[in-house]
Amino acid sequence: MIYKTVAKKIENMINGTNYSIGDCLPSENKLSKEFEVSRMTIRKALNILSSFGMVETIHGKGTFITNKYFQHESNNPQSLQKYEGSKLDKLKSEVTKFSLINAPLSIAKLLNVKEKTKLYFCTRVRYLNGQPIQIEESYLPVKFFPNLTLEHLENSKFDYIKKHTNIKIKGSKSIFKPILSNGEQQVIFNLKKSSPLMQITVLNESIDGVFFDLSFITINTEIYDVTYYFLRN
């Protein structure tokens, strides 16, 4: 879809060195001329960025940058097990919530589905060597996972997708954001009030351009960290 491509281009423009948080973007007319698309396409692209919390449109004033993100796109999303190697036998997932919900508007926008679309919602606490290292909250459209069970979620989600669905994974988009822990996270991770955590928003996409999984992964950085190695082309 053209508007998604345009959204990515505007996103790259925002994350560049020429713009800062609080700056006003060029008008829809100027953006439509720059990217050689219609104003409607620009509006749809800006709506995507608004759903990510990157911009805010104020009627009569313009569209303003509210956030800039460090982002990483991967064409090979993998489960936590793949990164633990020899520690596999010490890794455990505990499903604490698993339910069928109607997509709230904020989640529907990110998954590019209609509001109140049927979704599976699950929360998993990931343990390594008996210690909680991650809290993962996932939203998955039911139509892609008709046979999803609690047992699948207690193991590798991506192994289930590859073996039991028709989804061909294209890649994922990850947004890293530092947050302050809330009460529930403090209890799970045994942390002091307002301890800092790292939250990664992961949006997984199929080769058909469909978003099939949205996950918010909160990491206890006191005992676990995530390392990415970026190859320079």
Side-chain angles (χ1 to χ4, degrees), residues 121-163:
F121 169 71
C122 70
T123 300
R124 302 193 298 176
V125 181
R126 320 298 299 279
Y127 294 86
L128 186 63
N129 301 326
Q131 291 185 299
I133 59 170
Q134 290 185 3
I135 302 170
E136 179 189 80
E137 297 180 323
S138 297
Y139 299 84
L140 305 102
V142 171
K143 65 179 180 180
F144 300 130
F145 308 98
N147 301 313
L148 185 64
T149 67
L150 187 66
E151 184 178 358
H152 292 135
L153 295 171
E154 289 174 342
N155 295 287
S156 169
K157 184 169 61 178
F158 282 104
D159 280 352
Y160 161 76
I161 290 171
K162 291 176 180 177
K163 294 177 181 178

Side-chain angles (χ1 to χ4, degrees), residues 30 59 63 70 75 89 116 123 134 213:
K30 289 183 178 179
H59 182 68
T63 300
F70 165 71
N75 60 4
D89 58 328
K116 297 185 179 180
T123 300
Q134 290 185 3
D213 170 39

Side-chain angles (χ1 to χ4, degrees), residues 94-106:
E94 177 188 4
V95 180
T96 58
K97 298 176 185 177
F98 183 38
S99 60
L100 190 64
I101 67 169
N102 295 322
L105 182 60
S106 59

Side-chain angles (χ1 to χ4, degrees), residues 4 74 77 144-145 158 161 165-173 203-213:
K4 290 184 180 180
S74 169
F144 300 130
F145 308 98
F158 282 104
I161 290 171
T165 74
N166 296 319
I167 295 171
K168 303 299 181 184
I169 301 173
K170 175 183 177 182
S172 65
K173 176 179 182 180
L203 192 58
N204 290 296
E205 184 180 10
S206 73
I207 59 174
D208 301 319
V210 173
F211 298 127
F212 62 87
D213 170 39

Side-chain angles (χ1 to χ4, degrees), residues 48-146:
I48 291 178
L49 299 181
S50 177
S51 70
F52 275 106
M54 294 191 71
V55 300
E56 179 183 5
T57 300
I58 301 176
H59 182 68
K61 293 186 177 181
T63 300
F64 296 85
I65 298 171
T66 53
N67 263 309
K68 297 180 69 165
Y69 294 125
F70 165 71
Q71 301 181 62
H72 168 57
E73 290 194 359
S74 169
N75 60 4
N76 188 29
Q78 300 187 53
S79 63
L80 181 61
Q81 285 94 329
K82 299 294 184 181
Y83 294 106
E84 293 310 318
S86 61
K87 299 178 183 178
L88 248 177
D89 58 328
K90 300 176 184 179
L91 181 67
K92 176 186 175 183
S93 295
E94 177 188 4
V95 180
T96 58
K97 298 176 185 177
F98 183 38
S99 60
L100 190 64
I101 67 169
N102 295 322
L105 182 60
S106 59
I107 298 299
K109 284 183 176 180
L110 292 173
L111 284 168
N112 196 28
V113 298
K114 294 181 179 180
E115 187 179 5
K116 297 185 179 180
T117 294
K118 293 295 182 183
L119 303 177
Y120 287 118
F121 169 71
C122 70
T123 300
R124 302 193 298 176
V125 181
R126 320 298 299 279
Y127 294 86
L128 186 63
N129 301 326
Q131 291 185 299
I133 59 170
Q134 290 185 3
I135 302 170
E136 179 189 80
E137 297 180 323
S138 297
Y139 299 84
L140 305 102
V142 171
K143 65 179 180 180
F144 300 130
F145 308 98

